[in-house]
Coordinates of all heavy atoms in Angstrom, one line a residue:
M1 N 23.7 -3.9 -17.4 CA 22.7 -3.0 -16.8 C 22.1 -3.8 -15.6 O 22.4 -4.9 -15.3 CB 21.6 -2.7 -17.8 CG 22.1 -1.9 -18.9 SD 21.3 -0.3 -18.9 CE 22.2 0.5 -20.2
S2 N 21.1 -3.2 -14.9 CA 20.5 -3.8 -13.8 C 19.4 -4.7 -14.2 O 18.9 -4.7 -15.3 CB 20.0 -2.7 -12.8 OG 18.9 -2.0 -13.4
E3 N 19.0 -5.5 -13.2 CA 17.9 -6.4 -13.4 C 16.6 -5.7 -13.5 O 16.4 -4.7 -12.8 CB 17.8 -7.5 -12.3 CG 19.0 -8.4 -12.3 CD 18.9 -9.4 -11.1 OE1 17.8 -9.6 -10.6 OE2 20.0 -9.9 -10.7
T4 N 15.6 -6.2 -14.3 CA 14.3 -5.6 -14.4 C 13.5 -6.0 -13.2 O 13.4 -7.1 -12.8 CB 13.6 -6.1 -15.7 OG1 14.4 -5.8 -16.8 CG2 12.2 -5.4 -15.8
P5 N 12.9 -5.0 -12.5 CA 12.2 -5.3 -11.3 C 10.9 -6.1 -11.6 O 10.3 -5.9 -12.7 CB 11.8 -4.0 -10.7 CG 11.9 -3.0 -11.8 CD 12.9 -3.6 -12.7
V6 N 10.6 -7.0 -10.8 CA 9.4 -7.8 -11.0 C 8.1 -7.0 -10.7 O 8.0 -6.3 -9.7 CB 9.4 -9.1 -10.0 CG1 8.1 -9.9 -10.2 CG2 10.6 -9.9 -10.3
K7 N 7.2 -7.0 -11.6 CA 6.0 -6.2 -11.5 C 5.1 -7.0 -10.5 O 4.8 -8.1 -10.7 CB 5.3 -6.0 -12.8 CG 4.1 -5.1 -12.7 CD 3.6 -4.8 -14.1 CE 2.4 -3.8 -14.0 NZ 1.9 -3.3 -15.2
Q8 N 4.6 -6.3 -9.5 CA 3.7 -6.9 -8.5 C 2.3 -7.0 -9.0 O 1.8 -6.0 -9.6 CB 3.8 -6.1 -7.2 CG 5.1 -6.1 -6.5 CD 5.1 -5.2 -5.3 OE1 4.1 -4.5 -5.0 NE2 6.2 -5.3 -4.5
Q9 N 1.7 -8.1 -8.9 CA 0.4 -8.4 -9.3 C -0.5 -8.5 -8.1 O -0.1 -9.1 -7.1 CB 0.3 -9.6 -10.1 CG 1.0 -9.5 -11.5 CD 0.3 -8.6 -12.4 OE1 -0.9 -8.5 -12.4 NE2 1.1 -8.0 -13.3
N10 N -1.8 -8.0 -8.2 CA -2.7 -8.2 -7.1 C -3.2 -9.7 -7.2 O -3.4 -10.3 -8.2 CB -3.9 -7.3 -7.2 CG -3.5 -5.8 -7.0 OD1 -2.5 -5.6 -6.3 ND2 -4.1 -4.9 -7.7
T11 N -3.6 -10.2 -6.0 CA -4.1 -11.6 -6.0 C -5.6 -11.5 -6.5 O -6.2 -10.5 -6.5 CB -4.1 -12.1 -4.5 OG1 -5.0 -11.3 -3.7 CG2 -2.7 -12.1 -4.0
A12 N -6.1 -12.7 -6.8 CA -7.4 -12.8 -7.3 C -8.4 -12.5 -6.2 O -9.5 -11.9 -6.4 CB -7.7 -14.2 -7.8
A13 N -8.1 -12.8 -5.0 CA -9.0 -12.5 -3.8 C -9.1 -11.0 -3.6 O -10.1 -10.5 -3.3 CB -8.5 -13.2 -2.6
Y14 N -8.0 -10.3 -3.7 CA -8.0 -8.9 -3.6 C -8.8 -8.2 -4.7 O -9.6 -7.3 -4.4 CB -6.5 -8.3 -3.6 CG -6.4 -6.8 -3.4 CD1 -6.6 -6.2 -2.2 CD2 -6.2 -6.0 -4.5 CE1 -6.5 -4.9 -2.0 CE2 -6.1 -4.6 -4.4 CZ -6.3 -4.1 -3.1 OH -6.2 -2.7 -3.0
H15 N -8.7 -8.7 -5.9 CA -9.5 -8.1 -7.0 C -10.9 -8.4 -6.8 O -11.8 -7.5 -6.9 CB -9.0 -8.8 -8.3 CG -9.7 -8.3 -9.5 ND1 -9.5 -7.1 -10.0 CD2 -10.7 -8.9 -10.2 CE1 -10.3 -6.9 -11.1 NE2 -11.1 -8.0 -11.2
A16 N -11.3 -9.6 -6.3 CA -12.7 -10.0 -6.1 C -13.2 -9.1 -4.9 O -14.4 -8.7 -5.0 CB -12.8 -11.4 -5.7
Q17 N -12.5 -8.9 -3.9 CA -12.9 -8.0 -2.8 C -13.2 -6.6 -3.2 O -14.2 -6.0 -2.8 CB -11.9 -8.1 -1.7 CG -12.3 -7.2 -0.5 CD -11.2 -7.1 0.6 OE1 -10.1 -7.5 0.4 NE2 -11.5 -6.4 1.7
A18 N -12.3 -6.1 -4.1 CA -12.5 -4.7 -4.5 C -13.7 -4.6 -5.4 O -14.5 -3.6 -5.3 CB -11.2 -4.3 -5.3
V19 N -13.9 -5.6 -6.3 CA -15.1 -5.5 -7.1 C -16.4 -5.7 -6.3 O -17.4 -4.9 -6.5 CB -15.1 -6.6 -8.2 CG1 -16.4 -6.8 -8.9 CG2 -13.9 -6.3 -9.2
A20 N -16.4 -6.6 -5.3 CA -17.5 -6.8 -4.5 C -17.8 -5.6 -3.6 O -19.0 -5.2 -3.5 CB -17.3 -8.0 -3.6
S21 N -16.8 -4.9 -3.1 CA -17.0 -3.7 -2.3 C -17.6 -2.6 -3.2 O -18.5 -1.9 -2.7 CB -15.6 -3.3 -1.8 OG -15.8 -2.1 -1.1
F22 N -17.2 -2.5 -4.4 CA -17.7 -1.5 -5.3 C -19.2 -1.8 -5.6 O -20.0 -0.9 -5.5 CB -16.9 -1.4 -6.6 CG -17.5 -0.5 -7.6 CD1 -17.5 0.8 -7.5 CD2 -18.2 -1.1 -8.7 CE1 -18.0 1.6 -8.5 CE2 -18.8 -0.3 -9.7 CZ -18.7 1.1 -9.6
V23 N -19.5 -3.0 -5.9 CA -20.9 -3.4 -6.2 C -21.8 -3.1 -5.0 O -22.9 -2.6 -5.1 CB -20.9 -4.8 -6.7 CG1 -22.4 -5.3 -6.8 CG2 -20.3 -5.0 -8.0
V24 N -21.4 -3.5 -3.8 CA -22.2 -3.4 -2.6 C -22.4 -1.9 -2.3 O -23.5 -1.5 -2.0 CB -21.5 -4.1 -1.4 CG1 -22.2 -3.6 -0.1 CG2 -21.6 -5.6 -1.6
A25 N -21.4 -1.1 -2.5 CA -21.5 0.4 -2.2 C -22.4 1.0 -3.2 O -23.3 1.8 -2.8 CB -20.1 1.0 -2.2
L26 N -22.3 0.7 -4.5 CA -23.1 1.3 -5.5 C -24.6 0.8 -5.3 O -25.5 1.6 -5.4 CB -22.6 0.9 -6.9 CG -23.2 1.7 -8.0 CD1 -22.9 3.2 -7.9 CD2 -22.6 1.2 -9.3
A27 N -24.8 -0.4 -5.0 CA -26.1 -0.9 -4.8 C -26.8 -0.3 -3.5 O -28.0 0.0 -3.5 CB -26.1 -2.5 -4.6
A28 N -26.0 -0.1 -2.5 CA -26.5 0.5 -1.3 C -27.0 2.0 -1.5 O -28.1 2.4 -1.1 CB -25.5 0.5 -0.1
V29 N -26.2 2.7 -2.3 CA -26.6 4.1 -2.6 C -27.8 4.1 -3.5 O -28.7 4.9 -3.3 CB -25.4 4.8 -3.2 CG1 -25.8 6.2 -3.7 CG2 -24.3 5.0 -2.2
A30 N -27.8 3.2 -4.5 CA -28.9 3.2 -5.4 C -30.2 2.8 -4.6 O -31.3 3.4 -4.9 CB -28.7 2.2 -6.5
L31 N -30.1 1.8 -3.7 CA -31.3 1.4 -2.9 C -31.7 2.6 -2.1 O -32.9 2.9 -1.9 CB -30.9 0.2 -2.1 CG -32.1 -0.4 -1.3 CD1 -33.1 -1.0 -2.3 CD2 -31.5 -1.5 -0.4
G32 N -30.8 3.3 -1.5 CA -31.2 4.5 -0.7 C -31.8 5.6 -1.5 O -32.8 6.2 -1.0
V33 N -31.4 5.8 -2.7 CA -32.0 6.9 -3.5 C -33.4 6.4 -3.9 O -34.3 7.2 -3.9 CB -31.1 7.1 -4.7 CG1 -31.8 8.0 -5.8 CG2 -29.8 7.8 -4.3
V34 N -33.6 5.2 -4.3 CA -34.9 4.7 -4.7 C -35.9 4.8 -3.6 O -37.0 5.1 -3.8 CB -34.7 3.2 -5.2 CG1 -36.1 2.6 -5.4 CG2 -34.0 3.2 -6.6
N35 N -35.5 4.5 -2.4 CA -36.4 4.4 -1.2 C -36.6 5.8 -0.5 O -37.3 5.8 0.5 CB -35.9 3.4 -0.2 CG -36.1 2.0 -0.7 OD1 -37.1 1.7 -1.4 ND2 -35.2 1.1 -0.4
L36 N -36.0 6.8 -1.0 CA -36.2 8.2 -0.4 C -37.6 8.6 -0.7 O -38.2 8.3 -1.7 CB -35.3 9.2 -1.1 CG -33.8 9.3 -0.6 CD1 -33.1 10.3 -1.4 CD2 -33.8 9.7 0.9
E37 N -38.2 9.2 0.3 CA -39.5 9.7 0.2 C -39.5 11.2 -0.3 O -39.8 12.1 0.4 CB -40.3 9.6 1.5 CG -40.4 8.2 2.0 CD -41.1 8.1 3.4 OE1 -41.6 9.1 3.9 OE2 -41.2 7.0 3.9
V38 N -39.1 11.3 -1.6 CA -39.1 12.6 -2.2 C -39.7 12.5 -3.6 O -40.0 11.4 -4.1 CB -37.6 13.1 -2.3 CG1 -37.1 13.4 -1.0 CG2 -36.7 12.1 -3.0
D39 N -39.8 13.6 -4.3 CA -40.3 13.6 -5.7 C -39.3 12.8 -6.6 O -38.2 12.6 -6.3 CB -40.5 15.0 -6.2 CG -41.6 15.7 -5.5 OD1 -42.5 15.1 -4.9 OD2 -41.5 17.0 -5.4
A40 N -39.9 12.4 -7.8 CA -39.1 11.6 -8.7 C -38.0 12.4 -9.3 O -36.9 11.8 -9.5 CB -40.0 11.2 -9.9
W41 N -38.1 13.7 -9.5 CA -37.0 14.5 -10.0 C -35.8 14.6 -9.1 O -34.7 14.6 -9.5 CB -37.5 15.9 -10.4 CG -37.8 16.8 -9.3 CD1 -38.9 17.0 -8.7 CD2 -36.8 17.7 -8.7 NE1 -38.8 18.0 -7.7 CE2 -37.5 18.4 -7.6 CE3 -35.5 17.9 -8.8 CZ2 -36.9 19.3 -6.8 CZ3 -34.8 18.9 -8.0 CH2 -35.6 19.5 -7.0
V42 N -36.1 14.5 -7.8 CA -35.0 14.5 -6.8 C -34.3 13.2 -6.9 O -33.0 13.2 -6.8 CB -35.5 14.8 -5.4 CG1 -34.4 14.7 -4.3 CG2 -36.2 16.2 -5.3
R43 N -35.0 12.1 -7.0 CA -34.4 10.8 -7.1 C -33.5 10.7 -8.4 O -32.4 10.2 -8.4 CB -35.4 9.7 -7.1 CG -35.9 9.3 -5.8 CD -36.7 8.0 -5.8 NE -37.8 8.2 -5.0 CZ -39.1 8.2 -5.4 NH1 -39.4 7.9 -6.6 NH2 -40.0 8.4 -4.5
A44 N -34.1 11.3 -9.5 CA -33.4 11.3 -10.7 C -32.1 12.1 -10.6 O -31.0 11.7 -11.1 CB -34.3 11.8 -11.9
F45 N -32.2 13.2 -10.0 CA -31.0 14.1 -9.8 C -29.9 13.3 -9.0 O -28.7 13.3 -9.4 CB -31.4 15.4 -9.1 CG -30.2 16.3 -8.8 CD1 -29.6 17.0 -9.8 CD2 -29.7 16.3 -7.5 CE1 -28.5 17.8 -9.5 CE2 -28.6 17.1 -7.2 CZ -28.0 17.8 -8.2
L46 N -30.3 12.7 -7.9 CA -29.4 12.0 -7.1 C -28.8 10.8 -7.8 O -27.6 10.5 -7.7 CB -30.0 11.5 -5.8 CG -30.4 12.7 -4.8 CD1 -31.2 12.1 -3.6 CD2 -29.2 13.4 -4.3
G47 N -29.6 10.1 -8.6 CA -29.1 9.0 -9.4 C -28.1 9.4 -10.4 O -27.0 8.8 -10.6
V48 N -28.3 10.5 -11.1 CA -27.3 11.1 -12.0 C -26.1 11.5 -11.3 O -25.0 11.3 -11.8 CB -27.9 12.2 -12.9 CG1 -26.9 13.0 -13.7 CG2 -29.0 11.7 -13.8
A49 N -26.2 12.1 -10.1 CA -25.1 12.5 -9.3 C -24.2 11.3 -8.9 O -23.0 11.4 -9.0 CB -25.5 13.3 -8.1
V50 N -24.9 10.2 -8.6 CA -24.1 9.0 -8.2 C -23.4 8.5 -9.4 O -22.2 8.1 -9.3 CB -25.0 8.0 -7.6 CG1 -24.4 6.6 -7.5 CG2 -25.5 8.4 -6.2
L51 N -24.0 8.4 -10.5 CA -23.3 8.0 -11.7 C -22.2 8.9 -12.1 O -21.1 8.4 -12.5 CB -24.3 7.8 -12.9 CG -25.4 6.8 -12.7 CD1 -26.4 6.8 -13.9 CD2 -24.7 5.4 -12.7
Y52 N -22.4 10.2 -12.0 CA -21.3 11.1 -12.3 C -20.1 11.0 -11.4 O -18.9 11.0 -11.8 CB -21.8 12.5 -12.3 CG -20.8 13.6 -12.6 CD1 -20.2 13.6 -13.9 CD2 -20.5 14.6 -11.7 CE1 -19.2 14.6 -14.2 CE2 -19.5 15.5 -12.0 CZ -18.9 15.5 -13.2 OH -18.0 16.5 -13.5
L53 N -20.4 10.8 -10.1 CA -19.4 10.6 -9.1 C -18.6 9.3 -9.4 O -17.4 9.3 -9.3 CB -19.9 10.6 -7.7 CG -19.0 10.4 -6.6 CD1 -18.0 11.6 -6.5 CD2 -19.7 10.3 -5.2
T54 N -19.3 8.3 -9.7 CA -18.7 7.0 -10.0 C -17.7 7.1 -11.2 O -16.6 6.6 -11.2 CB -19.7 5.9 -10.3 OG1 -20.6 5.8 -9.1 CG2 -19.1 4.6 -10.5
T55 N -18.2 7.7 -12.3 CA -17.3 7.8 -13.5 C -16.1 8.7 -13.2 O -15.0 8.5 -13.7 CB -18.1 8.3 -14.7 OG1 -18.7 9.6 -14.4 CG2 -19.2 7.3 -15.1
S56 N -16.4 9.8 -12.4 CA -15.3 10.7 -12.1 C -14.2 10.0 -11.2 O -13.0 10.2 -11.4 CB -15.8 11.9 -11.3 OG -16.6 12.7 -12.1
A57 N -14.6 9.1 -10.3 CA -13.7 8.3 -9.5 C -12.9 7.4 -10.4 O -11.6 7.3 -10.2 CB -14.5 7.5 -8.4
F58 N -13.5 6.7 -11.4 CA -12.7 5.9 -12.3 C -11.7 6.7 -13.1 O -10.6 6.3 -13.2 CB -13.7 5.1 -13.2 CG -14.3 3.9 -12.6 CD1 -15.6 3.8 -12.3 CD2 -13.5 2.8 -12.3 CE1 -16.2 2.7 -11.8 CE2 -14.0 1.6 -11.8 CZ -15.4 1.6 -11.5
T59 N -12.1 7.8 -13.6 CA -11.2 8.7 -14.3 C -10.1 9.2 -13.5 O -8.9 9.1 -13.9 CB -12.0 9.9 -14.9 OG1 -13.1 9.4 -15.7 CG2 -11.1 10.8 -15.7
L60 N -10.3 9.6 -12.3 CA -9.3 10.0 -11.4 C -8.3 8.9 -11.1 O -7.1 9.1 -11.1 CB -9.8 10.6 -10.1 CG -8.8 11.0 -9.0 CD1 -8.0 12.1 -9.5 CD2 -9.5 11.4 -7.7
A61 N -8.8 7.7 -10.8 CA -7.9 6.6 -10.6 C -7.0 6.3 -11.8 O -5.8 6.0 -11.6 CB -8.7 5.3 -10.2
K62 N -7.6 6.4 -13.0 CA -6.8 6.1 -14.2 C -5.7 7.2 -14.4 O -4.6 6.9 -14.7 CB -7.7 6.1 -15.4 CG -7.0 5.8 -16.7 CD -7.9 5.9 -17.9 CE -7.2 5.5 -19.2 NZ -5.9 6.2 -19.4
V63 N -6.1 8.4 -14.1 CA -5.1 9.5 -14.3 C -3.9 9.4 -13.3 O -2.8 9.5 -13.7 CB -5.8 10.9 -14.1 CG1 -4.8 12.0 -14.0 CG2 -6.7 11.2 -15.3
V64 N -4.3 9.0 -12.1 CA -3.2 8.9 -11.0 C -2.3 7.7 -11.4 O -1.1 7.8 -11.4 CB -3.8 8.6 -9.7 CG1 -2.8 8.2 -8.6 CG2 -4.5 9.9 -9.2
R65 N -2.9 6.6 -11.9 CA -2.1 5.4 -12.3 C -1.2 5.7 -13.5 O -0.1 5.4 -13.5 CB -3.1 4.3 -12.7 CG -2.3 3.0 -13.0 CD -3.1 2.0 -13.9 NE -3.5 2.7 -15.1 CZ -4.5 2.3 -15.9 NH1 -5.3 1.4 -15.5 NH2 -4.8 2.9 -17.0
D66 N -1.8 6.4 -14.5 CA -1.0 6.8 -15.7 C 0.2 7.7 -15.3 O 1.3 7.5 -15.8 CB -1.9 7.5 -16.7 CG -2.9 6.5 -17.4 OD1 -2.8 5.3 -17.2 OD2 -3.8 7.0 -18.0
R67 N 0.0 8.6 -14.4 CA 1.0 9.6 -14.0 C 2.1 8.8 -13.3 O 3.3 9.0 -13.5 CB 0.5 10.7 -13.1 CG 1.6 11.6 -12.7 CD 1.0 12.8 -11.9 NE 0.4 13.7 -12.9 CZ -0.1 14.9 -12.5 NH1 -0.1 15.2 -11.3 NH2 -0.7 15.6 -13.4
Q68 N 1.7 7.8 -12.4 CA 2.7 7.0 -11.7 C 3.5 6.2 -12.7 O 4.7 6.1 -12.5 CB 2.0 6.1 -10.7 CG 2.9 5.3 -9.9 CD 2.2 4.3 -9.0 OE1 1.0 4.1 -9.1 NE2 3.0 3.6 -8.1
E69 N 2.8 5.5 -13.7 CA 3.5 4.7 -14.6 C 4.5 5.5 -15.5 O 5.6 5.1 -15.8 CB 2.6 4.0 -15.5 CG 1.9 2.8 -14.8 CD 0.8 2.1 -15.7 OE1 0.6 2.6 -16.8 OE2 0.3 1.1 -15.3
A70 N 4.1 6.8 -15.8 CA 5.0 7.6 -16.6 C 6.2 8.0 -15.8 O 7.3 8.1 -16.3 CB 4.2 8.9 -17.1
G71 N 6.0 8.3 -14.5 CA 7.2 8.6 -13.6 C 8.1 7.4 -13.5 O 9.3 7.6 -13.5
Q72 N 7.6 6.2 -13.5 CA 8.5 5.0 -13.4 C 9.3 4.8 -14.7 O 10.4 4.5 -14.7 CB 7.6 3.8 -13.2 CG 7.1 3.7 -11.8 CD 6.1 2.5 -11.6 OE1 5.7 1.9 -12.5 NE2 5.8 2.2 -10.3
I73 N 8.7 5.1 -15.9 CA 9.4 5.0 -17.1 C 10.5 6.0 -17.2 O 11.6 5.7 -17.6 CB 8.4 5.1 -18.3 CG1 7.5 3.9 -18.4 CG2 9.2 5.3 -19.6 CD1 6.3 4.1 -19.4
V74 N 10.2 7.2 -16.8 CA 11.3 8.3 -16.8 C 12.4 7.9 -15.9 O 13.6 8.1 -16.2 CB 10.7 9.7 -16.5 CG1 11.8 10.7 -16.2 CG2 9.7 10.1 -17.6
S75 N 12.0 7.4 -14.7 CA 13.0 7.0 -13.7 C 13.9 5.8 -14.3 O 15.1 5.8 -14.1 CB 12.3 6.5 -12.5 OG 13.3 6.0 -11.5
R76 N 13.3 4.9 -15.0 CA 14.1 3.8 -15.6 C 15.0 4.3 -16.7 O 16.2 3.9 -16.8 CB 13.2 2.7 -16.2 CG 12.6 1.8 -15.1 CD 11.9 0.7 -15.8 NE 10.6 0.5 -15.1 CZ 9.5 0.0 -15.7 NH1 9.5 -0.4 -17.0 NH2 8.4 -0.1 -15.0
V77 N 14.6 5.3 -17.5 CA 15.4 5.8 -18.5 C 16.6 6.6 -17.9 O 17.8 6.4 -18.3 CB 14.6 6.7 -19.5 CG1 15.5 7.5 -20.4 CG2 13.6 5.9 -20.3
D78 N 16.3 7.4 -16.9 CA 17.4 8.1 -16.2 C 18.4 7.1 -15.6 O 19.6 7.3 -15.6 CB 16.8 9.0 -15.1 CG 16.1 10.2 -15.7 OD1 16.3 10.5 -16.9 OD2 15.3 10.9 -15.0
Q79 N 17.9 6.0 -15.0 CA 18.8 5.0 -14.3 C 19.6 4.4 -15.4 O 20.8 4.1 -15.2 CB 17.9 4.0 -13.6 CG 18.8 3.0 -12.9 CD 19.6 3.5 -11.7 OE1 19.2 4.5 -11.1 NE2 20.7 2.9 -11.5
A80 N 19.1 4.0 -16.6 CA 19.8 3.4 -17.6 C 20.9 4.3 -18.1 O 22.1 3.9 -18.4 CB 18.9 3.0 -18.8
R81 N 20.6 5.6 -18.3 CA 21.6 6.6 -18.7 C 22.8 6.7 -17.7 O 23.9 6.7 -18.1 CB 21.0 8.0 -18.9 CG 20.2 8.1 -20.1 CD 19.6 9.5 -20.3 NE 18.7 9.6 -21.4 CZ 17.7 10.5 -21.5 NH1 17.5 11.4 -20.6 NH2 17.0 10.5 -22.6
L82 N 22.4 6.7 -16.4 CA 23.4 6.8 -15.4 C 24.3 5.6 -15.4 O 25.5 5.7 -15.3 CB 22.8 7.0 -14.0 CG 23.7 7.0 -12.8 CD1 24.7 8.2 -12.9 CD2 22.9 7.0 -11.5
E83 N 23.7 4.4 -15.5 CA 24.5 3.2 -15.6 C 25.4 3.1 -16.8 O 26.5 2.6 -16.7 CB 23.6 1.9 -15.6 CG 22.9 1.7 -14.2 CD 22.0 0.5 -14.2 OE1 21.9 -0.2 -15.2 OE2 21.3 0.3 -13.2
K84 N 25.0 3.6 -17.9 CA 25.8 3.7 -19.1 C 27.0 4.6 -18.9 O 28.1 4.3 -19.2 CB 25.0 4.2 -20.3 CG 25.8 4.2 -21.6 CD 24.9 4.7 -22.8 CE 25.8 4.8 -24.0 NZ 25.2 5.5 -25.1
L85 N 26.7 5.8 -18.3 CA 27.8 6.7 -18.0 C 28.9 6.1 -17.1 O 30.1 6.2 -17.3 CB 27.3 8.0 -17.5 CG 26.6 9.0 -18.4 CD1 26.0 10.1 -17.7 CD2 27.6 9.5 -19.5
L86 N 28.4 5.4 -16.0 CA 29.3 4.8 -15.1 C 30.1 3.7 -15.7 O 31.2 3.5 -15.4 CB 28.5 4.3 -13.9 CG 27.9 5.4 -13.0 CD1 27.1 4.8 -11.9 CD2 29.0 6.3 -12.3
A87 N 29.4 2.9 -16.6 CA 30.1 1.8 -17.2 C 31.2 2.3 -18.2 O 32.2 1.7 -18.3 CB 29.1 0.9 -18.0
E88 N 31.0 3.4 -18.9 CA 31.9 4.0 -19.8 C 33.0 4.8 -19.1 O 34.1 5.1 -19.7 CB 31.2 4.9 -20.8 CG 30.3 4.1 -21.7 CD 29.5 5.0 -22.6 OE1 29.5 6.2 -22.4 OE2 28.8 4.4 -23.5
H89 N 32.8 5.2 -17.9 CA 33.8 6.0 -17.2 C 35.0 5.2 -16.8 O 34.9 4.1 -16.2 CB 33.2 6.6 -15.9 CG 34.1 7.5 -15.1 ND1 34.6 8.7 -15.6 CD2 34.7 7.2 -13.9 CE1 35.4 9.1 -14.7 NE2 35.5 8.3 -13.7
D90 N 36.2 5.8 -17.1 CA 37.4 5.1 -16.7 C 38.2 6.1 -15.8 O 38.7 7.1 -16.2 CB 38.3 4.9 -18.0 CG 39.6 4.1 -17.6 OD1 39.8 3.7 -16.4 OD2 40.4 4.0 -18.5
P91 N 38.2 5.8 -14.5 CA 38.8 6.7 -13.5 C 40.3 6.8 -13.7 O 40.9 7.8 -13.2 CB 38.5 6.1 -12.2 CG 38.2 4.6 -12.4 CD 37.7 4.6 -13.8
F92 N 41.0 5.9 -14.4 CA 42.4 6.0 -14.6 C 42.8 6.7 -15.9 O 44.0 6.9 -16.2 CB 43.0 4.6 -14.5 CG 42.7 3.9 -13.2 CD1 41.9 2.9 -13.1 CD2 43.4 4.4 -12.1 CE1 41.6 2.3 -11.9 CE2 43.1 3.8 -10.8 CZ 42.2 2.7 -10.8
Q93 N 41.8 7.2 -16.6 CA 42.1 7.8 -17.9 C 42.5 9.3 -17.6 O 41.9 10.0 -16.8 CB 40.9 7.8 -18.8 CG 41.1 8.5 -20.1 CD 39.8 8.5 -20.9 OE1 38.7 8.4 -20.4 NE2 40.0 8.7 -22.2
K94 N 43.5 9.8 -18.3 CA 44.0 11.2 -18.1 C 43.0 12.1 -18.8 O 42.5 11.8 -19.8 CB 45.4 11.4 -18.6 CG 46.4 10.7 -17.8 CD 47.8 11.2 -18.3 CE 48.8 10.6 -17.3 NZ 50.2 11.1 -17.7
L95 N 42.8 13.2 -18.1 CA 41.8 14.2 -18.7 C 42.5 15.0 -19.7 O 43.3 15.5 -20.1 CB 41.2 15.1 -17.6 CG 40.4 14.3 -16.6 CD1 39.9 15.3 -15.5 CD2 39.1 13.8 -17.3

């Protein structure tokens, strides 16, 4: 069969940058909501909205990743079946 492809890993610096970017963005929005000159219920509503948006973004990212991984597994199974058929095929055999 074919060689197993090497799974690409993100570097530690890339991971740290992504985490730092997320923390800075969430802190900036939280600071903006806290410093708004509006009633407390408006701040609370915006805070809940930010939390809901954040959890929805994580869920969407997970769903997209899971769908992509499932597609790769199906593709590998199909490739293995094709390679098996090609390996068993004898072009000089009479039908």
Side-chain angles (χ1 to χ4, degrees):
M1 297 244 172
S2 67
E3 295 179 19
T4 304
V6 177
K7 187 172 182 174
Q8 295 179 351
Q9 295 288 330
N10 293 330
T11 64
Y14 180 75
H15 181 73
Q17 179 187 5
V19 170
S21 175
F22 172 74
V23 169
V24 168
L26 194 58
V29 171
L31 186 64
V33 169
V34 168
N35 289 326
L36 277 177
E37 296 180 7
V38 293
D39 293 334
W41 73 268
V42 175
R43 275 192 226 118
F45 175 79
L46 292 174
V48 169
V50 167
L51 291 176
Y52 180 61
L53 180 62
T54 303
T55 58
S56 295
F58 277 111
T59 303
L60 177 62
K62 183 185 179 311
V63 167
V64 169
R65 183 201 62 203
D66 290 349
R67 181 175 283 184
Q68 180 185 10
E69 286 178 353
Q72 289 174 347
I73 291 171
V74 169
S75 176
R76 282 191 225 150
V77 169
D78 288 343
Q79 182 66 28
R81 286 181 183 155
L82 177 63
E83 288 179 6
K84 181 181 176 191
L85 285 173
L86 290 175
E88 293 174 351
H89 176 69
D90 183 7
F92 299 109
Q93 181 183 21
K94 288 189 175 185
L95 297 175

